[in-house]
Amino acid sequence: MYEITFYFEDGTETIEVAPDEFVLDAAERAGLELPHSCRNGMCTSCAGELLAGDLDGGGTALTPDQEADGYVLLCCSSPRADCEIRVGERVQNELLGLDAL
């Protein structure tokens, strides 16, 4: 099991995630409400920013530049190490460039 710490705009929450489990599924099992939609990597609703650690997976909705900037899709990513992930509306707005408006 790996520890995943989520950084919300108003605090943090740490959960355990199995190596073969998607981060979003584990978060829901733990009672966390994270944004999501398609659940198969085709949209960016479940995007987070990986601050530390390593995730396996990805999805097709992120561009190479977004991946290089640390964005991940939690619906189709599994941990390979303990991780720290920033989540929330601000992350989504940054990813989509809405924070510059």
Side-chain angles (χ1 to χ4, degrees), residues 35-73:
H36 64 280
S37 183
C38 75
R39 301 188 79 91
N40 62 12
M42 299 301 292
C43 73
T44 59
S45 296
C46 67
E49 181 185 11
L50 184 64
L51 304 174
D54 189 21
L55 293 172
D56 181 29
T60 59
L62 295 176
T63 67
D65 286 342
Q66 290 168 329
E67 289 178 354
D69 287 341
Y71 292 104
V72 294
L73 299 180

Side-chain angles (χ1 to χ4, degrees), residues 1 7 21 27 29 34 50 53 66 70 72 82 92:
M1 297 293 271
Y7 290 85
E21 184 176 22
R29 180 176 41 76
L34 298 178
L50 184 64
Q66 290 168 329
V72 294
D82 292 344
Q92 184 72 23

Side-chain angles (χ1 to χ4, degrees), residues 44 71 89-101:
T44 59
Y71 292 104
E89 185 177 347
R90 184 172 290 147
V91 173
Q92 184 72 23
N93 289 343
E94 291 168 0
L95 175 70
L96 299 175
L98 299 176
D99 62 323
L101 298 178

Side-chain angles (χ1 to χ4, degrees), residues 6-12 85-94:
F6 293 101
Y7 290 85
F8 294 92
E9 292 167 17
D10 61 349
T12 63
I85 303 171
R86 192 167 66 95
V87 295
E89 185 177 347
R90 184 172 290 147
V91 173
Q92 184 72 23
N93 289 343
E94 291 168 0

